[in-house]
Amino acid sequence: MTARILEGKVFAAQIKEEAANGVAALKSEFGITPSLAVVIVGDNPASKVYVRNKHKTCEELGINSIVVEMPETSTKDELIAKIDELNNDRTINGILVQLPLPAAIKSHEEEILNRIDPLKDVDGFHPYNVGKLVTGDPALVPCTPAGCLKMLDLAGIEIDGKRAVIIGRSNIVGKPMLHLLMSRHATVTVCHSHTHDLPAVTREADILVAAMGKPKFVTADMVKSGAVVIDVGINRIAPKKLVGDVDFEAVSEVASAITPVPGGVGLLTVAMLMQNVIKATRLQVQR
Ligand code: NDP
């Protein structure tokens, strides 16, 4: 079997088109142009690329975007004061603090992220939004897992009743993915570094989501024939070479559908962020 390649750009274009329609609807219904504020602390080059990308996508879709650049030496209190200012600014609808934070304030990450107004929390990391997702009333959902689910829907891949296996249990990917797939009636298993006989578990998956951060870890013998494989991993193995958590070439021979890296899930994340900015704006209008 040679798998169908689930190209991120195809689905990202559809998600962005929906977002552009959402921007137009907010304008005509309420006269509002949604606005995103991205806060970046320090000079991490990868973070700068991500922030530029978000800014560019906002511009493309007619979303206002401001980038708040804070020095590497910023204190926790300075960052919290900036978040408070953005929380109180009625012209700002979405707030995102680009991670990772500099080493000196990294230990305060939770306190800093929890300071964001839950209705402006476009990353979906605030405990309020986590709770909403877990109780089956999702509001703002983390962009990467939300993008994976959206892609499955757009690709016409059935979820209801399927066995889904997720490798990784982070708050950003694995755990929200569990709740999203479970809410769509998949039977979901979440694996992590303590899982015994991982290949035996992954071979049961109709839908396999790899989000562990280990280059090419998932090999063909770990995948059931005909499975749908979503590779969330982004691993830099050389200055200009990114690979996923899945051995793409070998697994393509076994799976029925697979996402490439690069060019897969990564593109969906930014597109879903745009949808979250629109959703956040609507939530604030209803507040
Ligand atoms: P984390 O490091 O937070 O979590 C990794 C998870 O994988 C942990 O739960 C860990 O288990 C599990 N794990 C690690 N090794 C093994 C193993 N040998 N067997 C089974 N489970 C294992 O990573 P993230 O969730 O933040 O990210 C995962 C990957 O996805 C990374 O490559 C990251 O770059 C990428 N990513 C991509 C995004 C995109 O836009 N496409 C967005 C976010 C992340 P344990 O909990 O026991 O330690």
Side-chain angles (χ1 to χ4, degrees):
M1 179 181 299
T2 302
R4 168 184 177 194
I5 312 295
L6 301 169
E7 298 276 3
K9 65 176 181 224
V10 173
F11 302 105
Q14 294 180 56
I15 296 168
K16 284 198 268 184
E17 194 182 320
E18 276 183 25
N21 292 337
V23 173
L26 280 170
K27 203 160 226 167
S28 69
E29 285 174 49
F30 308 107
I32 297 175
T33 301
S35 292
L36 172 68
V38 177
V39 182
I40 177 166
V41 188
D43 300 311
N44 182 317
S47 293
K48 288 196 154 181
V49 173
Y50 290 134
V51 169
R52 226 179 3 254
N53 214 349
K54 288 167 188 173
H55 182 69
K56 229 177 68 197
T57 312
C58 280
E59 284 191 328
E60 200 184 307
L61 300 184
I63 294 174
N64 290 332
S65 159
I66 62 161
V67 178
V68 180
E69 294 188 73
M70 297 183 67
E72 181 89 20
T73 50
S74 302
T75 63
K76 173 197 85 169
D77 290 341
E78 284 165 346
L79 183 49
I80 283 181
K82 178 50 77 181
I83 292 171
D84 285 345
E85 188 189 315
L86 295 167
N87 281 340
N88 294 326
D89 185 340
R90 291 178 64 88
T91 67
I92 298 293
N93 306 109
I95 304 170
L96 180 160
V97 176
Q98 184 66 43
L99 300 177
L101 291 170
I105 53 171
K106 207 177 169 52
S107 61
H108 301 292
E109 184 178 299
E110 198 179 333
E111 185 186 348
I112 290 164
L113 295 183
N114 290 358
R115 192 73 171 213
I116 298 173
D117 177 345
L119 299 193
K120 296 189 178 185
D121 167 39
V122 287
D123 260 339
F125 296 159
H126 192 286
Y128 170 88
N129 285 314
V130 176
K132 298 280 279 179
L133 177 60
V134 172
T135 54
D137 179 26
L140 294 168
V141 177
C143 302
T144 301
C148 293
L149 191 79
K150 185 88 186 173
M151 181 190 63
L152 289 172
D153 285 340
L154 291 171
I157 292 165
E158 171 121 31
I159 301 171
D160 195 324
K162 299 291 180 195
R163 285 294 307 266
V165 174
I166 302 162
I167 316 176
R169 56 175 164 181
S170 72
N171 292 333
I172 296 175
V173 187
K175 284 182 201 158
M177 197 74 235
L178 155 68
H179 293 290
L180 288 171
L181 288 168
M182 190 164 57
S183 74
R184 296 290 300 278
H185 313 297
T187 302
V188 190
T189 304
V190 179
C191 302
H192 43 75
S193 66
H194 295 244
T195 300
H196 288 176
D197 198 358
L198 182 66
V201 184
T202 58
R203 274 196 294 269
E204 293 193 354
D206 302 308
I207 299 170
L208 178 61
V209 181
M212 57 200 309
K214 295 262 148 66
K216 298 188 178 191
F217 187 95
V218 176
T219 46
D221 60 310
M222 294 171 71
V223 177
K224 177 162 95 175
S225 174
V228 173
V229 179
I230 301 177
D231 191 354
V232 181
I234 302 177
N235 308 288
R236 190 171 294 280
I237 56 166
K240 290 199 168 162
K241 176 94 175 136
L242 294 180
V243 297
D245 288 350
V246 176
D247 180 353
F248 181 82
E249 283 74 26
V251 172
S252 299
E253 298 298 318
V254 181
S256 63
I258 186 168
T259 61
V261 179
V265 170
L267 299 172
L268 306 176
T269 301
V270 181
M272 285 311 291
L273 173 66
M274 301 299 121
Q275 293 219 347
N276 269 357
V277 175
I278 290 154
K279 202 187 263 181
T281 309
R282 283 202 171 266
L283 290 171
Q284 287 154 50
V285 170
Q286 290 154 11
R287 166 146 61 183

